[in-house]
Amino acid sequence: MENEWSWEQNTLINELIQGMEVARKLKEDLRTPYSVDTRDSLVQRILSSYEKALLILRCNASTSELQAMSQATATLLPESPISVHGSSMHEEGDGAIKDHQEVKHDSKKRKTMPKWVDQVRVSCESGLEGPHEDGYNWRKYGQKDILGAKYPRSYYRCTFRNTQGCWATKQVQRSDEDPTIFDITYRGKHTCSQGNNAVLPPKSPDKQEKPHSHNIDIHHAQGSQENLTKFRNILAVSTDKLDNGDMAHPFTFPSTSFGCMSQENLHSLIPSALANESFLSDLYQTHLLSPTTPESNYFSSPTFQMNEFDGIYNKLHSESDINEIISTNTSATNSPIPNFNFSLDPVEIDPNFPFNTPGFFS
DNA sequence: TATATTTGACCCTC
DNA sequence: GAGGGTCAAATATA
């Protein structure tokens, strides 16, 4: 437990520091002519860092809550409860490799591999057998009928297993209750080049021009899957409630749950986390939470996604505009945590929270 | 021809 | 022993 928290606090600190550094970099970039893409990328990294930090904080604050969330999906496996907490996620790295190496010699069946579950939904018209676009190249190596399950389970492993020794695998199981939902169980960490990409690669022309996907409505940032998958296990969210006639739109996975956060909470979070970052404060005040900005525009909109910075830049204000950018962005694979689909309740964080004080956690 | 998928069999864990 | 995970040969596809 201590180890878990130790890892978590390190991760948390790292994320916050990283966010600060990237914000600083962005601040410098804003002074010089720079590509919008690069700025977007930096903003995404900042957001990603804070999303992760929030998750860590939140998950530690309420393990039971997390378990409850997981329970909602009925898919989180007992051996990796709250794997996002770090220990298992952490072990997932080297541990996974060791495990695989052992397995390679003496077992056809993976032993106690750290694993975590995600749920994704594809649109009705997809006609596809499963969600495949998660940013990694997977190779199907098996399919099994599972007792009591209506649909067979598919087994995938990283394409680079042989060439790069990447032992990441995933299982895709179509939900009995809702065939549009796929439970995806990830195992092992990507050690291939895809998994090592810390920064999002440029979008391929294909993807850039790809219109709203009508097949698979979630898109994952290629190369950021490592981060993605780390958080997916706690994002095993039931999406049933998202139906409500929303299938008229392509299904989207909100990349963050900031939409559920109140302005107050954001106010208390961002400026305190970046106490010395007047820039971000300015950005935040000016673009995100300007008093003149209608409250419903951004953060309080239940459908708003934090990674919709394009929308912010464009100062879109109507609900329809927001919906539009959300739809659009589902095909723009630039969010580091595109599947971030669990709703944070308002987070109470002390404005004076000593994020950068390692001793705080001990 | 190279790469990906399918599928039956093998083997491990519970 | 049942169920599930993986292997690997056969087959399909680009």
Side-chain angles (χ1 to χ4, degrees), chain A residues 16 43 66 69 73 85 89-90 97 99 136 145 164 172 227 251 266 324:
Chain A
L16 291 169
V43 169
L66 183 67
M69 288 191 313
T73 71
H85 273 200
M89 294 298 297
H90 191 50
I97 297 170
D99 187 280
Y136 279 106
D145 287 324
Q164 297 182 30
V172 177
N227 291 332
F251 171 77
L266 282 167
E324 186 176 339

Side-chain angles (χ1 to χ4, degrees), chain A residues 164-265:
Chain A
Q164 297 182 30
C166 180
W167 290 91
T169 64
K170 75 172 180 181
Q171 300 171 4
V172 177
Q173 174 76 60
R174 194 170 209 162
S175 169
D176 287 346
E177 292 78 19
D178 187 346
T180 66
I181 292 179
F182 290 82
D183 293 326
I184 305 179
T185 302
Y186 292 90
R187 293 193 185 195
K189 175 184 177 179
H190 277 277
T191 57
C192 59
S193 55
Q194 288 183 313
N196 291 333
N197 290 341
V199 179
L200 299 177
K203 297 174 211 167
S204 67
D206 286 0
K207 293 192 174 178
Q208 278 182 321
E209 291 176 11
K210 195 172 180 179
H212 308 175
S213 171
H214 295 294
N215 295 328
I216 298 170
D217 299 317
I218 56 163
H219 297 274
H220 303 251
Q222 185 155 5
S224 63
Q225 191 70 5
E226 180 179 339
N227 291 332
L228 248 180
T229 51
K230 281 185 179 178
F231 284 91
R232 278 180 170 167
N233 59 58
I234 59 162
L235 306 183
V237 175
S238 170
T239 53
D240 293 346
K241 302 226 163 100
L242 296 178
D243 277 323
N244 299 334
D246 285 341
M247 291 305 283
H249 308 258
F251 171 77
T252 65
F253 269 91
S255 67
T256 118
S257 51
F258 278 93
C260 301
M261 295 178 70
S262 69
Q263 290 188 9
E264 278 182 7
N265 288 323

